[in-house]
Amino acid sequence: MNGNESQPSVDYYEFFQKMAARTIEYFTRIAKEASDNRLLVGSYYGYYWGHVSAAPYHSLDSGNFGVRYLLESPWIDFIGGPYPYGERRDGCEINGFPRSLALHGKIWESEGDMRTHRSGEDQRQYGTTDNLAESIEVAKRDYALNRSAGSCYYFFDFVDNWYDDPEFMDTVAKLVRIDNFLRERKDSFPRRVAIVVSEEMVPHLSNTESPWLWRITEGERSENPRIGIPYDVILDADLKSVDFSQYQAVIFQDAYFASDETIRLVKEKIRKNGRKTIFYYSPGIVSPENQYDLDRSEQLTGIRLELDETKGDTIVRLKNGTAAMDNGAVSPRIFVNDKQANVFAEFADGVPAAATKSMPDSCESIVISHPQPNHAFMREVLANCGLKIYQTKGNAQCYFAGPMLAIYSRGPGSGEFELPDSTEIVADFFTGEIIAENASSFKEAFPSTPQTRMLFVGLRKDWQAYLEMLEHTEMQ
């Protein structure tokens, strides 16, 4: 943070994101007008998670952080792109913001270029699977991921026959039938958590590799789904558009810079009706003048923070001794210095690392001095906020859509799961196995090989409707 000296860089990268978005809009407008607005027109763009931590080339220099300039454009109907390419077998994330686009009548379309056992060793770094069985389970996981995020997707094998296997294509056909069924069903799992991701902070980043930026991309890929709670991911540009009444908690993932408008919306719109606002690492700590500004941070969170540029790699631990997290050489160290706040986590040397503070209208503000708290830590934090956690034990990745709970595991272990109050039956969409009836919870043993368990959770009449749909389809 060095003020005027680096301001030209901030200005340039703000301009560059806008220029990239406006260039796309220029050409999509030509196509829309040439077709008398009959064509659906879109672009590959907005690869947030794949690029934000991939400095130098794929980060700020990619120009992919101007989605906010396209949200209200009448000249573009969809944007999309592939999943980020790192560690795909272990976990996967949608590269953009389907929920934000949907608010503006637009679609995010994922390029489903998943690698299979037929993709070859040269594609191993991008997710080549070990065998057909793993390919099928990853395909099921990717469907659940897209359905949960509100995204659509298509398969793309680079014209290389990666999916040329009858069993694999039979799985795809079954996923289509499940999708047709889910479209007509209400949610069994209400979404009470929103995760807000920032584009406005991106021009303030240094275009060099950063371990804490890697942490947030890793978190969206594998940690957030392991919490065991349904959530929506929205762009900070949509704070003014989102109806927050359904959410009990709003997490600000990376609001290191927060504009005056963002601070105003947090105070006047989001921090209402007993809602919890949760901020990671260094919220609002960068000023418009590109300096560290602890007063501005306090305006955003309501909690006084301090920083120590001499400290970095320490452990954050809940006060009761559970859920330790290694910061991973994050510097500067941000810590809580507010006598009115209730500290609930500390660094290894006892310095306050996380705290909660009462706010007007029965609200709470929470700051956690870590760029991406792990799933065990956040599971406890959100439970203390009054949220219902559906995976209470275990580290499987969970995806929720309508009456579907999908559970993705990579190796042996077990999980314990709570159910919505109205649940009459839990059954496997693929095998038809009845897992539980009239129960409030169930346990699941994970095999030693990768598995995506796609479960129906809901009313018996709806499960029966699914079985009848399958029977009708097979008779055709």
Side-chain angles (χ1 to χ4, degrees), residues 398-410:
C398 300
Y399 304 97
F400 304 83
M404 180 192 74
L405 164 61
I407 305 169
Y408 179 63
S409 59
R410 294 279 315 165

Side-chain angles (χ1 to χ4, degrees), residues 162-198:
W162 294 345
Y163 315 128
D164 187 14
D165 188 290
E167 271 192 78
F168 185 90
M169 294 309 299
D170 182 58
T171 299
V172 174
K174 290 178 180 177
L175 291 172
V176 171
R177 290 194 287 271
I178 292 170
D179 189 66
N180 290 335
F181 171 76
L182 291 177
R183 290 181 193 180
E184 301 175 1
R185 298 293 179 268
K186 296 180 180 179
D187 279 339
S188 294
F189 303 91
R191 294 172 181 269
R192 301 297 186 217
V193 175
I195 298 178
V196 179
V197 179
S198 177

Side-chain angles (χ1 to χ4, degrees), residues 27 41 74 107 116 121 149-150 158 172-173 186 192 207 224 246 277 291 333 336 396 405 411 429 452 455 473:
F27 287 105
V41 181
I107 294 171
T116 70
E121 284 302 313
F158 290 88
V172 174
K186 296 180 180 179
R192 301 297 186 217
N207 202 15
N224 290 342
Q246 75 181 81
T277 49
Q291 300 276 11
R333 183 165 77 169
V336 178
L405 164 61
F429 272 113
T452 301
L455 303 179
T473 302

Side-chain angles (χ1 to χ4, degrees), residues 99-100 190-197 220 224 229-235 238-239 242-253 270 275-280 378 382 387:
R99 300 293 181 189
S100 278
R191 294 172 181 269
R192 301 297 186 217
V193 175
I195 298 178
V196 179
V197 179
E220 179 57 20
N224 290 342
I229 193 168
Y231 60 91
D232 289 332
V233 179
I234 60 174
L235 196 57
D238 270 326
L239 294 180
V242 173
D243 177 3
F244 284 96
S245 61
Q246 75 181 81
Y247 301 117
Q248 292 176 244
V250 179
I251 299 172
F252 288 83
Q253 173 85 58
I270 301 173
R275 195 170 295 115
K276 321 298 183 186
T277 49
I278 302 172
F279 302 88
Y280 290 168
M378 286 309 299
L382 291 172
L387 275 296

Side-chain angles (χ1 to χ4, degrees), residues 362-434:
S362 301
C363 294
E364 283 184 67
S365 182
I366 299 170
V367 171
I368 302 170
S369 298
H370 193 285
Q372 178 58 60
N374 66 25
H375 67 277
F377 192 98
M378 286 309 299
R379 192 179 287 169
E380 188 158 344
V381 169
L382 291 172
N384 289 336
C385 288
L387 275 296
K388 185 177 180 70
I389 308 298
Y390 293 100
Q391 180 177 221
T392 54
K393 291 184 180 179
N395 64 353
Q397 295 168 36
C398 300
Y399 304 97
F400 304 83
M404 180 192 74
L405 164 61
I407 305 169
Y408 179 63
S409 59
R410 294 279 315 165
S414 62
E416 296 183 14
F417 300 86
E418 295 292 314
L419 293 168
D421 293 338
S422 58
T423 301
E424 294 178 352
I425 190 169
V426 180
D428 190 304
F429 272 113
F430 271 77
T431 67
E433 177 190 358
I434 306 301

